[in-house]
Amino acid sequence: MAKQYFVLGIGGTGMRCIESLIHLCAMGMFDDTEIHLLALDTDKNNGNFSRLKEVKEAYVNSKNLDKANRTALTNTFFSADIKYYEFSPNYEKKSTFKDVFNYRNTEANSKEETDLADLVLTDNVENFNLRHGYRAQTHLGSMMMYHSIIEAARSRMDNDLKQFLQVLIAACNGGSDPKVFILGSVFGGTGASSIPIIPQAISEAASVMSNGAANVLGRAYFASTLLTAYFSFKAPSADKLREQK
């Protein structure tokens, strides 16, 4: 039976890392291996996400146009069998913390909850536009990403995250002690926000989906590569600072 690895690429940097991993698979460096790739970002329209999907499509189509016939191989190029999933919180309709939190109704019915939110979050953060990521708002981003993952697990609708977790749950329950690897940066927004909470979030989501039967933290091995700053930005103008808060 092929080995199983579960790899999460978070944010723009995570997308780049997964893209490099696919190139390694094309070189034949993961023989007899099934790799489950989860691309996780807040902005599905960014260039890194788009390029990753192009590379992924080229790889899987080189294996076989028919999904059922894509298998892990040995001693050849394109040997790993890649299963691809993606997850992105939807902030199109509810694009701020206050929108997601349903702040006005919560304030009317449970004032202590909004008081607590106001204590730890400034007004700028509570009204921060989430559509393009958490952008240096890691304290907010960690909470929002955790919330999004749990809500996706509870959803009655099927989604890629649930499919990824179903395979991980099966691996845990099957006694294979699955390996979970996390890739992303710790200097930006989405990666720095999500990496610290991912093990707990996916473990809790798996527990939700399995009615408490899955113990991901107890059965899976977690590892991560954390990238520090490898590029710089131009200093923002005063207008840009005001616009972006």
Side-chain angles (χ1 to χ4, degrees), residues 9 12 25 50 59 107 193 201 214 236:
C25 292
S50 300
Y59 182 94
E107 186 176 33
S193 298

Side-chain angles (χ1 to χ4, degrees), residues 57-128:
E57 283 299 314
Y59 182 94
V60 297
N61 288 337
S62 70
K63 296 278 289 180
N64 201 300
L65 292 175
D66 184 0
K67 285 185 177 181
N69 292 324
R70 296 172 188 163
T71 58
L73 304 173
T74 304
N75 296 327
T76 183
F77 297 119
F78 299 90
S79 53
D81 183 19
I82 291 178
K83 311 290 188 184
Y84 177 81
Y85 316 82
E86 58 185 45
F87 175 70
S88 183
N90 186 351
Y91 294 127
E92 289 304 313
K93 292 183 178 179
K94 296 183 177 182
S95 59
T96 68
F97 166 80
K98 282 192 170 181
D99 292 337
V100 175
F101 190 43
N102 201 5
Y103 189 93
R104 288 186 178 179
N105 287 344
T106 304
E107 186 176 33
N109 298 310
S110 185
K111 185 67 163 54
E112 66 275 10
E113 292 188 19
T114 55
D115 286 346
L116 178 60
D118 294 339
L119 179 66
V120 296
L121 301 173
T122 66
D123 185 64
N124 277 349
V125 172
E126 289 181 338
N127 289 291
F128 183 80

Side-chain angles (χ1 to χ4, degrees), residues 138-175:
T138 51
H139 57 314
L140 174 67
S142 292
M143 178 174 62
M144 299 305 294
M145 183 58 76
Y146 187 95
H147 172 269
S148 297
I149 290 172
I150 302 304
E151 287 301 300
R154 288 174 176 162
S155 173
R156 296 182 180 181
M157 303 291 291
D158 192 26
N159 56 65
D160 276 15
L161 178 67
K162 291 174 69 173
Q163 293 174 24
F164 177 86
L165 289 173
Q166 284 166 355
V167 182
L168 180 57
I169 291 169
C172 289
N173 292 343

Side-chain angles (χ1 to χ4, degrees), residues 172-185:
C172 289
N173 292 343
S176 63
D177 297 330
K179 280 75 174 174
V180 182
F181 205 87
I182 305 166
L183 298 160
S185 72

